[in-house]
Amino acid sequence: MLNVQPDIAAPGVDILAAWIGNDTAAAPEGKDPPLFNVISGTSMACPHVSGMAAAVKSRNPTWSPSAIRSAIMTTATQTNNLRAPITTETGSAATPYDFGAGEIGITGPLQPGLVYETTTIDYLNFLCYYGYDNSTIKTIARTIPKGFVCPMNPSTDSISDINYPSIAISKISVKGSRKVNRSLTNVAGDDEPVYTVSIEAPAGINVKVVPDKLQFTDIGQKLSYQVIFSPVKQLDKDVFGSITWSNGKYKVRSPFVLSS
């Protein structure tokens, strides 16, 4: 089983924030509680992400929630404010299990270049792959496209084909390979329409992307690619890597994890 990983991380330690003053211990005797306090936790990280999502939506009002999520994830950073790798609270090296795609950026999500759009069919297929049949899905989903039926013999391996900004592969065999499909949508309309791929692969895994170049001609155009994972030895631990598409102006990064 794959560990549950987050999509994104955001600043959440020692954040100066408005404070509903009911903490009388924080106020001098006879004084009202403070209106501001320095607080830590997910309650501090969530507003950063929510605010960024709202900013992206205001700049791009027609974007879907999945496009906004993609913009935030693919432009995240994997280094801290000292330009060093992100670490856990114990000081050890953090992994995507700790921070997902990385820590949220400020300007990158507003202009991501390309986005991964997760469609209704993707979500319905997820239910199929998870084991629900057509009749059960009809009781869950509000709307189902006409003619939709679950793929024949769906498997949990097929979940990896959901058009998500990250990739997770479970129990890959050293004797075979695993193919994953993805589709990107051009949202930039840039003068540099050709994106080339770069791969950060862990030791013991060959990773190939086909094609290795994507040439967009119009805003809103969608192009697809396939990632082929081939282990050269049996994994004895979970490993991590990334796939990044760039045209020299934008970098669209997708992390991946392969479980042992």
Side-chain angles (χ1 to χ4, degrees):
M1 292 293 291
L2 283 172
N3 291 322
V4 175
Q5 61 180 358
D7 285 340
I8 197 72
V13 178
D14 293 340
I15 304 299
L16 179 64
W19 182 251
I20 299 176
N22 57 2
D23 186 1
T24 56
E29 185 176 356
K31 300 290 185 179
D32 292 333
L35 298 178
F36 296 88
N37 202 352
V38 175
I39 313 169
S40 300
T42 54
S43 58
M44 292 293 97
C46 287
H48 286 85
V49 180
S50 299
M52 192 70 251
V56 174
K57 183 67 173 178
S58 67
R59 178 75 67 90
N60 305 280
T62 63
W63 283 15
S64 67
S66 64
I68 295 171
R69 175 186 59 205
S70 175
I72 290 173
M73 290 177 63
T74 59
T75 59
T77 179
Q78 296 76 51
T79 56
N80 59 25
N81 57 2
L82 299 177
R83 300 185 182 278
I86 296 174
T87 59
T88 67
E89 60 184 5
T90 63
S92 61
T95 74
Y97 287 155
D98 302 299
F99 55 62
E103 185 169 289
I104 191 170
I106 298 175
T107 59
L110 299 175
Q111 293 181 310
L114 308 172
V115 295
Y116 292 90
E117 293 189 287
T118 313
T119 67
T120 299
I121 297 296
D122 281 317
Y123 290 114
L124 292 175
N125 281 335
F126 174 82
L127 295 175
C128 296
Y129 303 147
Y130 201 72
Y132 294 106
D133 58 23
N134 289 301
S135 60
T136 303
I137 291 174
K138 288 180 180 179
T139 66
I140 296 174
R142 178 179 300 176
T143 58
I144 297 179
K146 185 177 181 179
F148 173 82
V149 293
C150 282
M152 295 294 291
N153 302 316
S155 69
T156 53
D157 292 346
S158 303
I159 293 178
S160 299
D161 274 338
I162 301 299
N163 201 44
Y164 205 75
S166 60
I167 299 172
I169 301 291
S170 177
K171 302 295 183 182
I172 189 170
S173 171
V174 71
K175 297 181 180 180
S177 62
R178 191 77 61 83
K179 298 178 181 179
V180 175
N181 299 294
R182 286 292 185 273
S183 175
L184 281 162
T185 303
N186 179 26
V187 295
D190 197 72
D191 293 334
E192 298 293 338
V194 179
Y195 286 76
T196 57
V197 71
S198 60
I199 302 168
E200 181 186 353
I205 299 291
N206 290 329
V207 182
K208 183 179 181 180
V209 176
V210 182
D212 59 3
K213 289 185 179 180
L214 297 175
Q215 182 168 356
F216 294 88
T217 56
D218 297 300
I219 296 178
Q221 181 183 6
K222 300 178 186 294
L223 293 177
S224 299
Y225 66 92
Q226 188 174 75
V227 190
I228 305 170
F229 298 93
S230 304
V232 297
K233 64 178 182 179
Q234 191 62 45
L235 297 178
D236 56 6
K237 63 178 181 179
D238 294 2
V239 294
F240 312 93
S242 65
I243 296 164
T244 303
W245 291 95
S246 177
N247 68 346
K249 181 177 181 179
Y250 303 110
K251 290 185 177 181
V252 186
R253 180 182 182 274
S254 295
F256 65 77
V257 55
L258 291 84
S259 78
S260 56

